Amino acid sequence: MEADWDEINSINVPPPGRQNLPLNSGVLAFPASTLAFDTQQELLWIGNEYGRLASFHSYDLQRYTSFRAHSSKDGPAAVKQLLFHERGVISIAQSSVHLSSRRGWAQWHLTTETTRDLRCMSYMGKDYSSIIIAGHQNVMLKVDVEKGQVVEEIPTEHRYTMMKYSHYICAATSTGSVNILDPDTLRIVKTLNTNNIGICDMDARNNYLVICGLSSRQQGAPMPAGLANVYDLRAMAQLPPIPFHAGAAHVQMHPRMSTTCILASQHGQLQVVDIMNSNAINLRQLNISTPALGLVLAPSGEAFAISEADGTVHLWGSLTKLQFAEYSNSTEFADTVTPVPMMDIDADMPLNTIGMPYYRDQLLSVWPSHQLYEVGNPPLKIDPGMLGAFQAHEIGLWGHNPRNTRRNQAEKTRIIESNGSTLVAPKFLSEKAREIENNQNSERRISDINESLANAALNSTAKAEVPVIYRNVEIKYSKFGVDDFDFEYYNKTPFSGLETHIANSYTNPLLQLLRFTPLTRNLALRHAASTCFTDTCLLCEMGFLFDMLDKAEGQSCQATNFLKTFSSLPEAAKLGLLEEQSHSTPLTMMMQSANRFLLEHISADFKKIAHDPLEIDQECNVDRFSIRCVHCHNDTIRPGSTYVNDMIYPLMSTSSRLRNQVPTFSQILKASIERETQTRGWCDKCRRYQQLATRKTVRGVPDVLMINAAVKTLESKQYWAIRGWLPERIGLIVEKGKVFCFEGEDLRLHIQRGLHEVTVYALVGIVADVNGGEHQKSHLVSLIDVAISERSPTEEQKWHLFNDFLVRKVSKEDALQFTSSWKSPSIITYQVTIASHAVDDSWKRSLDTNILYYDWSINNQPPKNCRVLRSEKEAPGPGSYVAIDTEFVALQQEEIEIKADGDREIVRPTRLGLARVSVLRGSGVDEGLPFINDYITINEQIVDYLTKWSGVQEGDLDPHYSSHNLVPLKVAYKKLWILLNLGCIFIGHGLPKDFRTINIHVPKSQVLDTVDLFYIRARQRKLSLRFLAWYLLKEDIQQDNHDSIEDARSALRLWRKYEEFRDAGIVEPMVEEVYREGKKWGYKPPGEGQTAVGRRHEVRSMDGGNLVVPVVLDGRETPDILQGHSGPGTPVGRKGTGRGSEYFESPLR
């Protein structure tokens, strides 16, 4: 510090926004929580306690930028520390880390479950590519600065308060010690014990570390110590301390003079000292009136700033050579605003010469859709390419008519169909594969998404306020069917959506809501694992569906079997719950009726099998109904159970709304539960029909509270339009047959007092009705907090939108905000808070597997060519191999629409039904012997038996005429489901389509598909089972028609053949050889008399040399490239013969 240094300027820390100030706080000072000089520009940065950053330019401290980097929603927003990067400034608060440009644009904002109590951060090297973040928590986070993502979590037992970097990372702990960390491994190299109870400041530079500690006093709070500890980081040794009798509270190492540091006390005494010679000191006294909170030295060493407790920041330096950064870049300032010229407006001036301002918010002129009507037809859009050829005329432009339409033909420029509000469908998977193959813009996936979303927003006739992700989604079909549709385009989350091309799929949102309610999920899965074989059991089908959704992990699923069972119930048809019979009924009313029907039906299903039938009553209200005759006042008590409560809304007066006396959700819920209804019925005392008043007496509260919103009137919509009206927590108290409901502060007080037993509920999710406006068909979505159903507890809420197969993460505010014009609630689900995260997987250990060990037949026909498993010797388990093949029949032909230009568009693909399933043993002495060979009885009309491909003939599935053993679909499905959950590995050919039609999801780890084993992606062609069996196994299969046992056995043998090739190290040359031979024969086995030209096969041997095997292919011989190796050969098989050990041998057996 030179003699001409003096105070140059001072400023007050800018106050935060009004929204951050508590009412009547009386706070006049806003001290800086941290301050720092920019290392690349002439800027001084200040952070305050409210998460706001402000920067000041040069010596006159001109205000440059001010923005909010941290929000109190994430936790306390006080800025703890600043770091500077070429992209901007990095700030850290207690629960978040933020990077923004120096102009205030946010680059990324990081807040996770592990950012609970952050205090400090540091770069991990001179490349400034990553930072380490720590605090009063048991984990440190390594963050990639470019991506803003946590790349590594490092557990630690220390609580860090401060970090500095100088070859090593010096990390101060809350106990007063300093850990020296290796920046590469983050391991503790050495721990420095400073003999202090805490660290108030430290700085490290040029291999020296200076620490200002806190010492304990006999009376009062800890005070800054009178000695500053000095350490040599090269020798890891302590140097003589620096005495500072005023108490060293702040320290800064000089960036140019390696052994010089500046010490400051809380009262403004400044000492410049050489750490190698503590006698050479320079003392200064700063003019401050309140304690000093921070000291920071500019990177150039030509200035320093100190902040006071009253919010004042002082800048010191030499005015002749003041510079902040050592090598500063130019600072970009805002463009100068051009003054608006004054205009004289008179009666002759056209109004269109006056420009219109730009609005970011919607104007009042944006009317709701129910007040908008179509008037006329919009004019035809002119091709921009034609405008250049037009010539000017008196009344406009004229040019040649391109005749794009026929005479008297008009183009439809207004879309009034229901699909106008749908998202634009992505390209089919086959189209994208061809693009990649042709190297035509293989990186278009992201651009396709953005383009499609933009087109949907621009071309849709839905109202402007309906977000794109809430609109209808539809499946498009190519010639390859639904498998060619890109469902991943709509879902990037680990939570699977449900497809919509199935009848009555309007129940998808309700099924998703029940799935993410842990108690309902556990109940359904436990029941599915029991001995229930009832065909119409919805609880079993629900358990199968929930298990499939869990295993799919984000892949699209379909509720085919559940909806088939649901549609077959006569009660559902009578109640008008089927779409084909209720065209005019609003979907939200159908959904609420379906909610009540499903809960009543699954309760009955559970009680048929459960050992404790009362367990299901915990899922619903346990009530008694008091029926009183209005005429004679005779009371009759009847037991009953209420599974769903319908909301009843009182009229909302204008005066009560102005006085902010609107009834709360809990008040309306209490009145709805205890409502009294009057109906006409029989009175036993009067012996005639009288008016009866029915009132409910509540005896217990449920674990899962299902509520129908019943929003039918404009008055009821007004309640839901109030922001925050739906509480996230409610509490119920039952006393003397009455129920009391609380929320918010009232709930907290009742819990705190503990006078009553309060059952607290957490909001799981809602089913919402989305109305796209005039000419748009409404549809239903679900908004669910999936964090409640996670196995590990978490405080963070994770709200997701489930719009059929479109799944997106949304904010809590978006999920719980309702707009009367397009979004209203239909079903609300609460669950007791003690059951959050109570995901029970014990059903997997109690699977009832008896069905695998005995024959099941509804027509008393034993299965042919089949022997069931022996429980004592052949019980399947994890890793057991089974070979599978299935056959299907057509239940509905595809629907095709032929457009005006002759193009064919598939409206609905062929609907298939499972007709036969065969499962073979995949290992052991009886390898290849079937233990399941079931034909499935089908109650629906079969439009095509597909005999050529399925081998199933008319009458095979009829119990009156079939000679095969017939089983219900549920029995066949449950056998496969048990094998799946036992951990068996399924071997077959083309299994994904089979599993999709069966409506089961098998993880990739449990699938061995011979299509993929013998597949070269670059060829864009997959080989048929028949060709692979002919070429590799020397077998002719599928001669007359398909047989599932034969196909499953061939797939099993192909897998064993693949194992031989793998053990010999010749998989790739063999697969290449198969493709070459397949191309010659058209990828089909040759007919009679066809021969091939002899050729030599050259493959790479195990020792690296070339193994040349002369072979002549006559259409029946497989090149024996294993000759000369120790692996056993594969003898010729015979069509129709069962494989034993004499026909096939694997090197792994």
Side-chain angles (χ1 to χ4, degrees), residues 87-390:
R87 294 182 58 189
V89 54
I90 306 173
S91 59
I92 183 173
Q94 180 170 325
S95 303
S96 58
V97 185
H98 185 86
L99 170 64
S100 60
S101 68
R102 289 170 172 82
R103 297 185 62 180
W105 297 340
Q107 306 296 313
W108 50 257
H109 186 84
L110 177 63
T111 175
T112 65
E113 298 177 359
T114 53
T115 56
R116 294 185 297 270
D117 194 355
L118 304 179
R119 298 297 180 91
C120 54
M121 58 182 173
S122 170
Y123 282 115
M124 298 184 63
K126 294 184 178 181
D127 57 352
Y128 305 113
S129 61
S130 58
I131 59 176
I132 185 68
I133 303 172
H136 285 196
Q137 56 184 39
N138 56 3
V139 63
M140 297 190 296
L141 305 177
K142 181 180 178 181
V143 177
D144 189 323
V145 178
E146 292 295 331
K147 299 179 180 179
Q149 297 177 353
V150 177
V151 296
E152 187 179 2
E153 296 183 0
I154 302 96
T156 179
E157 59 184 6
H158 300 280
R159 301 293 181 263
Y160 292 114
T161 60
M162 195 179 306
M163 280 186 172
K164 300 292 181 179
Y165 176 79
S166 178
H167 300 289
Y168 292 98
I169 298 176
C170 305
T173 67
S174 58
T175 60
S177 61
V178 177
N179 290 335
I180 308 300
L181 307 179
D182 188 329
D184 296 326
T185 63
L186 296 178
R187 294 181 179 177
I188 299 177
V189 178
K190 188 177 181 62
T191 298
L192 306 178
N193 187 4
T194 62
N195 296 320
N196 294 313
I197 62 172
I199 304 294
C200 56
D201 197 8
M202 70 176 185
D203 196 15
R205 195 183 296 269
N206 302 322
N207 295 314
Y208 292 103
L209 173 65
V210 181
I211 301 173
C212 297
L214 294 172
S215 62
S216 60
R217 301 296 173 93
Q218 294 181 356
Q219 297 179 352
M223 298 293 292
L227 294 174
N229 295 321
V230 183
Y231 295 89
D232 187 344
L233 296 179
R234 290 171 296 186
M236 293 295 175
Q238 185 172 4
L239 300 178
I242 302 173
F244 192 40
H245 301 292
H250 309 284
V251 62
Q252 286 285 289
M253 294 289 295
H254 200 283
R256 292 180 179 177
M257 295 179 283
S258 59
T259 61
T260 300
C261 74
I262 301 177
L263 296 174
S265 69
Q266 291 181 335
H267 305 292
Q269 184 175 349
L270 205 69
Q271 175 176 298
V272 182
V273 60
D274 188 344
I275 60 176
M276 304 306 293
N277 182 11
S278 58
N279 295 323
I281 60 174
N282 184 3
L283 292 176
R284 289 290 183 94
Q285 179 64 46
L286 304 180
N287 185 19
I288 60 176
S289 58
T290 56
L293 299 182
L295 171 71
V296 60
L297 187 62
S300 63
E302 301 295 339
F304 72 86
I306 190 165
S307 62
E308 287 187 65
D310 64 355
T312 305
V313 176
H314 303 270
L315 176 65
W316 276 63
S318 175
L319 192 59
T320 58
K321 50 183 177 180
L322 182 64
Q323 183 180 354
F324 292 170
E326 187 173 4
Y327 302 100
S328 61
N329 300 324
S330 60
T331 303
E332 183 179 7
F333 286 88
D335 297 333
T336 304
V337 179
T338 304
V340 179
M342 298 296 296
M343 300 179 62
D344 295 329
I345 301 177
D346 53 26
D348 297 330
M349 181 179 180
L351 293 179
N352 59 4
T353 60
I354 302 175
M356 293 293 292
Y358 292 100
Y359 294 98
R360 297 183 179 273
D361 299 328
Q362 289 187 352
L363 303 179
L364 293 177
S365 57
V366 182
W367 288 6
S369 63
H370 64 272
Q371 296 182 3
L372 299 178
Y373 303 93
E374 297 177 4
V375 179
N377 204 34
L380 190 66
K381 293 183 179 180
I382 301 176
D383 186 0
M386 298 168 52
L387 295 177
F390 285 1

Side-chain angles (χ1 to χ4, degrees), residues 13-14 44-48 52-56 63-67 82:
V13 177
L44 172 63
W45 289 86
I46 298 174
N48 65 13
R52 182 169 290 274
L53 297 181
S55 60
F56 302 87
R63 294 194 65 173
Y64 180 63
T65 54
S66 177
F67 55 92
L82 300 174

Side-chain angles (χ1 to χ4, degrees), residues 16-21 48-54 65-75 77 79 91 98 100 104-106 109:
R18 293 183 178 179
Q19 66 274 14
N20 294 326
L21 285 178
N48 65 13
E49 297 178 352
Y50 301 92
R52 182 169 290 274
L53 297 181
T65 54
S66 177
F67 55 92
R68 190 177 182 182
H70 303 273
S71 172
S72 58
K73 295 180 180 179
D74 300 331
V79 182
S91 59
H98 185 86
S100 60
W105 297 340
H109 186 84

Side-chain angles (χ1 to χ4, degrees), residues 759-811:
T759 304
V760 183
Y761 292 85
L763 179 63
V764 178
I766 57 176
V767 175
D769 181 24
V770 177
N771 181 14
E774 188 180 11
H775 301 300
Q776 308 302 326
K777 183 180 179 181
S778 65
H779 65 287
L780 300 165
V781 301
S782 54
L783 296 143
I784 305 172
D785 181 11
V786 299
I788 292 179
S789 61
E790 291 183 345
R791 287 170 170 79
S792 56
T794 176
E795 296 181 358
E796 180 187 4
Q797 292 183 328
K798 300 179 181 178
W799 285 91
H800 282 67
L801 165 70
F802 291 84
N803 185 4
D804 291 321
F805 50 83
L806 185 151
V807 184
R808 286 288 190 277
K809 186 176 182 180
V810 296
S811 64

Side-chain angles (χ1 to χ4, degrees), residues 283-525:
L283 292 176
R284 289 290 183 94
Q285 179 64 46
L286 304 180
N287 185 19
I288 60 176
S289 58
T290 56
L293 299 182
L295 171 71
V296 60
L297 187 62
S300 63
E302 301 295 339
F304 72 86
I306 190 165
S307 62
E308 287 187 65
D310 64 355
T312 305
V313 176
H314 303 270
L315 176 65
W316 276 63
S318 175
L319 192 59
T320 58
K321 50 183 177 180
L322 182 64
Q323 183 180 354
F324 292 170
E326 187 173 4
Y327 302 100
S328 61
N329 300 324
S330 60
T331 303
E332 183 179 7
F333 286 88
D335 297 333
T336 304
V337 179
T338 304
V340 179
M342 298 296 296
M343 300 179 62
D344 295 329
I345 301 177
D346 53 26
D348 297 330
M349 181 179 180
L351 293 179
N352 59 4
T353 60
I354 302 175
M356 293 293 292
Y358 292 100
Y359 294 98
R360 297 183 179 273
D361 299 328
Q362 289 187 352
L363 303 179
L364 293 177
S365 57
V366 182
W367 288 6
S369 63
H370 64 272
Q371 296 182 3
L372 299 178
Y373 303 93
E374 297 177 4
V375 179
N377 204 34
L380 190 66
K381 293 183 179 180
I382 301 176
D383 186 0
M386 298 168 52
L387 295 177
F390 285 1
Q391 299 180 12
H393 196 60
E394 294 180 357
I395 57 174
L397 302 175
W398 68 276
H400 177 69
N401 187 353
R403 296 288 183 187
N404 292 330
T405 59
R406 298 178 181 178
R407 187 176 183 181
N408 298 327
Q409 181 181 359
E411 183 176 348
K412 186 177 182 181
T413 57
R414 185 180 294 279
I415 302 175
I416 61 174
E417 303 297 333
S418 61
N419 59 1
S421 63
T422 59
L423 289 169
V424 178
K427 293 184 178 181
F428 292 113
L429 296 176
S430 56
E431 294 176 340
K432 295 182 179 181
R434 285 195 297 269
E435 283 187 358
I436 296 175
E437 176 67 17
N438 297 330
N439 294 323
Q440 296 177 356
N441 198 5
S442 61
E443 299 296 326
R444 288 192 57 188
R445 184 175 189 86
I446 301 300
S447 62
D448 284 350
I449 295 177
N450 297 331
E451 181 181 356
S452 297
L453 293 177
N455 290 338
L458 293 175
N459 299 332
S460 173
T461 59
K463 295 179 300 180
E465 64 264 26
V466 180
V468 175
I469 59 176
Y470 281 89
R471 300 179 186 175
N472 274 312
V473 289
E474 293 182 358
I475 300 175
K476 299 296 182 181
Y477 306 99
S478 70
K479 63 181 180 179
F480 301 106
V482 71
D483 296 331
D484 201 22
F485 188 77
D486 188 7
F487 289 103
E488 186 182 354
Y489 168 87
Y490 296 93
N491 185 6
K492 307 293 183 183
T493 71
F495 309 108
S496 298
L498 289 171
E499 299 171 15
T500 59
H501 63 288
I502 311 165
N504 302 311
S505 59
Y506 75 92
T507 58
N508 285 348
L510 177 59
L511 295 175
Q512 292 280 19
L513 186 56
L514 294 174
R515 170 206 173 191
F516 286 102
T517 306
L519 293 180
T520 308
R521 171 197 176 274
N522 298 341
L523 191 73
L525 286 170

Side-chain angles (χ1 to χ4, degrees), residues 284 514 582 723 864 944 955 970 1035 1104 1115:
R284 289 290 183 94
L514 294 174
S582 305
R723 186 180 295 272
K864 300 177 181 178
D944 192 348
K970 181 177 179 179
E1035 284 189 355

Side-chain angles (χ1 to χ4, degrees), residues 722-1012:
I722 301 174
R723 186 180 295 272
W725 191 71
L726 178 65
E728 299 177 47
R729 292 280 194 279
I730 61 173
L732 294 183
I733 299 175
V734 176
E735 187 173 309
K736 297 180 181 180
K738 293 185 178 182
V739 63
F740 301 91
C741 189
F742 304 96
E743 64 179 76
E745 186 66 18
D746 291 340
L747 174 60
R748 188 187 66 81
L749 291 175
H750 277 82
I751 296 175
Q752 184 177 358
R753 293 169 183 170
L755 300 178
H756 304 278
E757 182 180 355
V758 183
T759 304
V760 183
Y761 292 85
L763 179 63
V764 178
I766 57 176
V767 175
D769 181 24
V770 177
N771 181 14
E774 188 180 11
H775 301 300
Q776 308 302 326
K777 183 180 179 181
S778 65
H779 65 287
L780 300 165
V781 301
S782 54
L783 296 143
I784 305 172
D785 181 11
V786 299
I788 292 179
S789 61
E790 291 183 345
R791 287 170 170 79
S792 56
T794 176
E795 296 181 358
E796 180 187 4
Q797 292 183 328
K798 300 179 181 178
W799 285 91
H800 282 67
L801 165 70
F802 291 84
N803 185 4
D804 291 321
F805 50 83
L806 185 151
V807 184
R808 286 288 190 277
K809 186 176 182 180
V810 296
S811 64
K812 180 185 68 174
E813 292 74 17
D814 185 21
L816 302 183
Q817 180 180 355
F818 300 95
T819 307
S820 58
S821 58
W822 65 271
K823 180 184 175 185
S824 58
S826 179
I827 297 173
I828 306 104
T829 299
Y830 285 92
Q831 182 187 251
V832 290
T833 55
I834 58 174
S836 298
H837 317 289
V839 179
D840 183 15
D841 291 330
S842 61
W843 59 271
K844 295 182 180 180
R845 300 187 294 272
S846 58
L847 271 175
D848 181 34
T849 60
N850 291 326
I851 193 174
L852 299 176
Y853 304 120
Y854 64 88
D855 294 327
W856 182 292
S857 177
I858 63 175
N859 59 343
N860 297 322
Q861 293 288 343
K864 300 177 181 178
N865 304 321
C866 176
R867 192 188 73 209
V868 297
L869 296 174
R870 291 169 291 184
S871 59
E872 66 278 1
K873 295 182 179 180
E874 299 177 302
S880 298
Y881 293 105
V882 294
I884 184 174
D885 191 69
T886 55
E887 308 294 351
F888 304 97
V889 294
L891 303 179
Q892 183 180 358
Q893 296 288 12
E894 67 179 7
E895 299 177 15
I896 300 176
E897 178 181 326
I898 300 179
K899 299 182 178 179
D901 56 1
D903 291 342
R904 293 158 54 94
E905 181 179 359
I906 300 177
V907 179
R908 188 182 296 271
T910 302
R911 186 164 61 91
L912 302 177
L914 182 63
R916 183 185 178 189
V917 57
S918 299
V919 184
L920 285 60
R921 296 166 173 85
S923 60
V925 179
D926 295 324
E927 180 179 319
L929 179 65
F931 62 92
I932 296 177
N933 185 26
D934 293 336
Y935 285 75
I936 289 85
T937 178
I938 297 178
N939 298 325
E940 301 178 68
Q941 181 182 0
I942 300 174
V943 298
D944 192 348
Y945 283 89
L946 306 175
T947 304
K948 182 178 179 181
W949 296 277
S950 68
V952 179
Q953 300 180 359
E954 187 175 359
D956 287 349
L957 307 182
D958 191 335
H960 300 93
Y961 306 104
S962 178
S963 60
H964 306 285
N965 68 302
L966 290 173
V967 301
L969 174 62
K970 181 177 179 179
V971 173
Y973 184 94
K974 193 162 188 177
K975 290 180 182 180
L976 301 180
W977 187 72
I978 290 173
L979 292 174
L980 166 65
N981 285 284
L982 289 176
C984 295
I985 299 177
F986 294 85
I987 304 167
H989 192 85
L991 290 180
K993 188 172 183 179
D994 289 359
F995 290 147
R996 178 181 178 84
T997 308
I998 296 171
N999 199 209
I1000 193 171
H1001 182 88
V1002 182
K1004 292 183 179 180
S1005 59
Q1006 291 180 245
V1007 177
L1008 288 171
D1009 198 330
T1010 52
V1011 165
D1012 298 326

